[in-house]
Amino acid sequence: MKYLIAGTGGVGGSIAGFLSLAGKDVTCIARGAHLQAIQTNGLKLKSDLKGEHTLAIPATNAEEFNEKVDVIFVCVKGYSIDSITELIKRDSHENTVVIPILNVYGTGPRIQRLVPGVTVLDGCIYIVGFVSGIGEITQMGKIFRLVYGAHKGTKVAPGILEAIQKDLQDSGIKAEISPDINRDTFIKWSFISAMAVTGAYYDVPMGEVQKPGKVRDTFIGLSKESSELGRKLGVEFPEDPISYNLKVIDKLDPESTASMQKDLAKGHESEIQGLLFDMIATAEEQGVDIPTYRMVAEKFTKR
């Protein structure tokens, strides 16, 4: 199986690093100084699960890569999806599967509309991973869980989902094939939205969310409101979504922060549209009241 990682940030770089350590055939798509550093010195991985490694992973930019691959993990930010459409079209064969691993709900169907001739799945990931330096990725904590699957009506060649799962598991990633990927991507959206918005609103790491008090109460309020939206959209939660979100947040490294929070702090483009304003817009469309989301939104201007 030939793997292509489109977007070698914290998520994509961690997936690429783990696959490479297990001897899998993986190529990274990156850009700028980050790409140059990977090409020159290798990808540096600092991982609580795998230790520290420098990996000679093939890397190039989206415009120059021109090989057919079996699996494309899309790990760019939601606002960069359009920039990799041609890459997906050019480097897919008839059985290639595309697995978006983004924080924003509805990404798989969105990409499928852009590349109608390619098989697009959907996915979500639970990991604390970030770019800690030029050409360097840090993976924190003991959680590295990747969930993926096909939406209803999407046909996938026999055995491919299972082959991907085996490769990921061989690499030390907890990989799960979802029977209801719409549900699972919504659950991830609910969690990461509450996590990122709470952290950015108070400008605190997750350790502050793990303590009783107003920060945690805000996280709970956001989780309650997004779960109500999920139910209105027909999502069937396998367990209480508020308890689930709290269980996940309490397992995170206390010093960790969401990528949206990091980007906002640096004045960079961020996922605030998809994680905050899109949640509010969808709730308004569905007639769901979300006072906590509206409260925190007052602190931020649209970007």
Side-chain angles (χ1 to χ4, degrees):
M1 300 276 283
K2 292 177 68 68
Y3 291 88
L4 181 64
I5 311 297
T8 312
V11 168
S14 296
I15 295 172
F18 277 53
L19 285 171
S20 178
L21 281 170
K24 308 303 179 184
D25 186 340
V26 57
T27 300
C28 291
I29 299 296
R31 59 188 177 184
H34 192 55
L35 170 60
Q36 291 179 340
I38 296 170
Q39 290 174 327
T40 304
N41 304 313
L43 178 69
K44 294 180 181 179
L45 175 68
K46 294 183 176 181
S47 167
D48 285 347
L49 288 169
K50 294 288 188 179
E52 295 191 14
H53 302 270
T54 298
L55 303 163
I57 300 176
T60 184
N61 59 41
E63 292 75 27
E64 293 180 1
F65 187 78
N66 190 15
E67 296 179 29
K68 300 299 182 186
V69 297
D70 301 303
V71 183
I72 302 174
F73 280 109
V74 177
C75 304
V76 300
K77 301 293 187 182
Y79 49 77
S80 297
I81 288 295
D82 292 345
S83 69
I84 60 159
T85 301
E86 292 306 314
L87 172 81
I88 294 172
K89 292 177 181 176
R90 185 174 63 247
D91 299 310
S92 297
H93 56 68
E94 62 179 7
N95 289 326
T96 296
V97 295
V98 177
I99 306 178
I101 305 292
L102 279 78
N103 291 326
V104 181
Y105 179 64
T107 303
R110 177 185 167 193
I111 295 177
Q112 186 68 85
R113 289 190 291 270
L114 294 170
V115 290
V118 182
T119 301
V120 182
L121 311 182
D122 222 334
C124 55
I125 198 167
Y126 291 87
I127 185 177
V128 176
F130 54 93
V131 176
S132 47
I134 298 173
E136 180 182 283
I137 303 297
T138 292
Q139 176 268 315
M140 293 175 64
K142 302 299 183 182
I143 298 174
F144 194 163
R145 175 174 169 248
L146 197 158
V147 182
Y148 65 98
H151 284 281
K152 291 179 181 179
T154 300
K155 294 181 180 180
V156 185
I160 288 183
L161 297 186
E162 292 76 15
I164 296 168
Q165 182 183 39
K166 183 178 186 305
D167 279 351
L168 292 172
Q169 290 176 342
D170 287 348
S171 305
I173 299 169
K174 184 179 179 182
E176 302 170 21
I177 302 171
S178 171
D180 186 351
I181 195 61
N182 181 65
R183 173 199 67 196
D184 289 333
T185 51
F186 186 91
I187 289 172
K188 172 60 189 292
W189 189 40
S190 165
F191 169 75
I192 200 68
S193 171
M195 171 196 174
V197 169
T198 301
Y201 183 72
Y202 292 104
D203 193 21
V204 295
M206 292 306 104
E208 296 303 309
V209 189
Q210 294 164 349
K211 302 173 185 176
K214 67 177 183 179
V215 177
R216 190 174 179 88
D217 289 344
T218 299
F219 177 81
I220 291 170
L222 296 170
S223 298
K224 285 180 178 178
E225 291 167 15
S226 62
S227 66
E228 285 303 310
L229 173 59
R231 291 189 180 95
K232 189 69 179 290
L233 292 171
V235 174
E236 295 183 5
F237 295 99
E239 60 181 286
D240 176 66
I242 296 90
S243 299
Y244 175 82
N245 280 5
L246 288 169
K247 181 172 66 177
V248 176
I249 205 82
D250 289 340
K251 289 181 179 178
L252 294 180
D253 187 299
E255 296 303 314
S256 61
T257 55
S259 60
M260 184 190 92
Q261 183 178 347
K262 292 184 179 74
D263 289 338
L264 286 171
K266 295 174 183 176
H268 295 169
E269 191 169 12
S270 78
E271 294 178 294
I272 195 167
Q273 179 64 47
L275 295 179
L276 175 58
F277 296 112
D278 285 358
M279 183 74 76
I280 293 172
T282 306
E284 289 175 348
E285 289 170 4
Q286 297 295 323
V288 176
D289 189 29
I290 49 168
T292 312
Y293 269 100
R294 285 189 277 102
M295 176 195 77
V296 297
E298 291 179 3
K299 178 174 179 175
F300 305 102
T301 57
K302 280 195 176 185
R303 305 179 179 218

